[in-house]
Amino acid sequence: MQAIRRLLQSAFGFLALVFISAAFSTLANFHHFFATLTFDLSSDSFQDATGLRRLAIFSLLVLGMLIRSAPIPLSALYSTTWWTLRKGKPSGRAWALAASIITALQGIPFLVLIIRYWSQIHGLLGSGLLVL
């Protein structure tokens, strides 16, 4: 049981480092994103758009902002999981379960793409051009 805890602790520590570095990169680019957002909302094409088109444009911009900010809470989740497992706290199991579920959910879009485009991927696998 101790070996599994150490393995999970190492995995979540690695994920925490990856997402912390991504979060710093995200925070550095937020100024540019908000400048672009302000420009897009004040552009003539947005002002001339109908109500439904405006809603669609604004929704996509907000969705882009949420996707770009995802590394921030994920880094907090993985860091907290790593810390609780490192300290041997009883809440480490719950944090590890939550982080494992989130990690599994992050892989779903890739599985959907693989299933959807399996015929094209299978050809690339056969020729040795794609390694998953």
Side-chain angles (χ1 to χ4, degrees):
M1 195 57 118
Q2 193 75 343
I4 293 173
R5 188 173 68 108
R6 288 281 185 197
L7 177 68
L8 285 175
Q9 177 185 341
S10 300
F12 290 128
F14 175 74
L15 284 172
L17 288 175
V18 168
F19 279 100
I20 285 171
S21 65
F24 279 122
S25 174
T26 299
L27 290 174
N29 291 326
F30 263 144
H31 174 70
H32 173 71
F33 179 75
F34 283 118
T36 306
L37 179 66
T38 305
F39 174 74
D40 288 343
L41 294 179
S42 63
S43 67
D44 291 335
S45 62
F46 183 76
Q47 298 300 328
D48 295 338
T50 62
L52 188 57
R53 184 174 167 96
R54 267 189 198 183
L55 179 64
I57 292 170
F58 186 73
S59 298
L60 287 174
L61 289 171
V62 169
L63 181 63
M65 186 176 71
L66 289 174
I67 289 172
R68 288 182 187 188
S69 64
I72 297 167
L74 289 174
S75 65
L77 172 70
Y78 293 132
S79 299
T80 306
T81 303
W82 170 77
W83 185 259
T84 55
L85 288 175
R86 183 172 182 259
K87 292 297 181 182
K89 294 183 178 182
S91 62
R93 288 183 181 182
W95 281 106
L97 182 62
S100 297
I101 290 170
I102 295 296
T103 304
L105 290 176
Q106 287 174 339
I108 289 175
F110 298 109
L111 290 175
V112 169
L113 287 175
I114 288 172
I115 291 169
R116 173 72 174 95
Y117 296 107
W118 177 248
S119 60
Q120 290 89 355
I121 293 173
H122 184 67
L124 292 174
L125 284 173
S127 64
L129 294 176
L130 180 67
V131 178
L132 293 176

